[in-house]
Structure formats: C-alpha cells, structure tokens
Amino acid sequence: MRLSVTLGCLLLLLVDVPVQARDLTHTTVPRDYRVRGTTPHDLVNYMRAYPFAGDNGPTVANIRPKYDLRVDTRQRDGMCHVQSVRLNIRFTMTLPRAVNHSRFDRNTVRAWQSFRAFLKRHETHHRTLYLACANRLLRDLRRLPPDRY
C-alpha cells in the first residue's frame, strides 16, 4: 500500500492541483487487544508474554493508517491538469481491553483506566501527526505548476 501511495504522490508532482481540489477525510476504527488478568501484575505479565504485533515490533497499542488517494486529471493544451484530489485515511486504533475487568479491585480499575487513557492520548497524537502531514502534502501539491507529458 505504501508503494502505491508513494507512486501516486510522485505522479501528482507532475501536474497542477487547483486550490479547490483539496479534500481530506478520515475515520478511526477501534480494535481491541484483549488482555487477561485481574491484578496489575497479571496484566503486565500477560502483555509482556503476549504483546500486540505492531508495525515496528511488539507493543501494547497501535494506530495504523490506510490511504485511499483518488486523482482526477484532464488534458488541456498539451498539459496535464488535476481536476480533483481526494485523500481518505482510515485509521485502525488498537488499544488494550481487559477481558476480566469486572473482577478488578478498585485500585486496579483506576490504574487500568489511567493506563488506557494514556495510550489513547498517545495514539491520538500519532493520528494528529499523520493528518498534519497529509494536509501539508495536499497544500504542496496545490502549489505545483502543470506539466507536459
């Protein structure tokens, strides 16, 4: 997928992108990484023994983007002009979900909720970075002049 997005972006470098053509949409789909245990010690041991397979190795949380880049072009005066560019990013956010949450004591509940909230903030920050990069890409594409093909 990354190769096709990269190739699509390289093709866009050859053409004009009008200002009104920018269109960035995104969705976030939650996914559970199911964790077993009833005490903080049990939960940590489980996550160490059975980590989630992240993009860059074992982890406990992750956000993965999937890109759908659509470009409509037209030919005019021997030049290639972009009619519209649409980029949709579908994020899959994986966070740990305690299977035995109903059996937690009060302190474990508070610790688990705090841990999950931290991870969600962290992964949401990654999503913000992805979206900022996508917006910069679309902005830069609008500034390119048309090109002959």
Side-chain angles (χ1 to χ4, degrees):
M1 182 63 186
R2 286 183 182 170
L3 180 60
S4 65
V5 169
T6 303
L7 291 174
C9 290
L10 288 174
L11 288 173
L12 285 175
L13 295 176
L14 303 175
V15 295
D16 175 45
V17 180
V19 173
Q20 68 273 14
R22 189 187 93 207
D23 189 15
L24 174 63
T25 57
H26 66 92
T27 56
T28 302
V29 178
R31 180 176 170 196
D32 289 342
Y33 158 50
R34 297 171 58 85
V35 177
R36 299 189 185 286
T38 57
T39 67
H41 184 264
D42 293 344
L43 295 164
V44 169
N45 282 344
Y46 184 91
M47 289 184 285
R48 285 184 176 165
Y50 307 100
F52 176 75
D55 295 334
N56 298 306
T59 188
V60 295
N62 186 285
I63 190 160
R64 292 182 174 164
K66 182 176 181 183
Y67 303 96
D68 181 17
L69 179 64
R70 307 285 172 120
V71 181
D72 296 322
T73 61
R74 72 179 164 93
Q75 188 179 8
R76 187 179 72 214
D77 301 326
M79 303 288 275
C80 185
H81 296 268
V82 172
Q83 291 293 101
S84 66
V85 176
R86 292 176 308 282
L87 176 59
N88 181 52
I89 307 173
R90 181 179 187 266
F91 295 101
T92 302
M93 184 184 294
T94 304
L95 295 172
R97 168 88 49 209
V99 174
N100 307 105
H101 191 273
S102 63
R103 295 178 27 209
F104 286 2
D105 65 27
R106 186 174 50 216
N107 291 333
T108 304
V109 167
R110 278 196 301 265
W112 183 256
Q113 288 173 343
S114 176
F115 176 62
R116 266 188 55 93
F118 167 79
L119 292 173
K120 186 172 184 176
R121 281 190 311 273
H122 179 82
E123 298 306 328
T124 299
H125 179 69
H126 283 275
R127 181 181 61 198
T128 301
L129 295 175
Y130 280 118
L131 292 171
C133 288
N135 276 313
R136 279 194 306 275
L137 170 69
L138 293 173
R139 179 201 66 208
D140 292 347
L141 291 173
R142 288 193 315 267
R143 294 178 178 169
L144 294 173
D147 199 9
R148 296 194 186 282
Y149 52 92

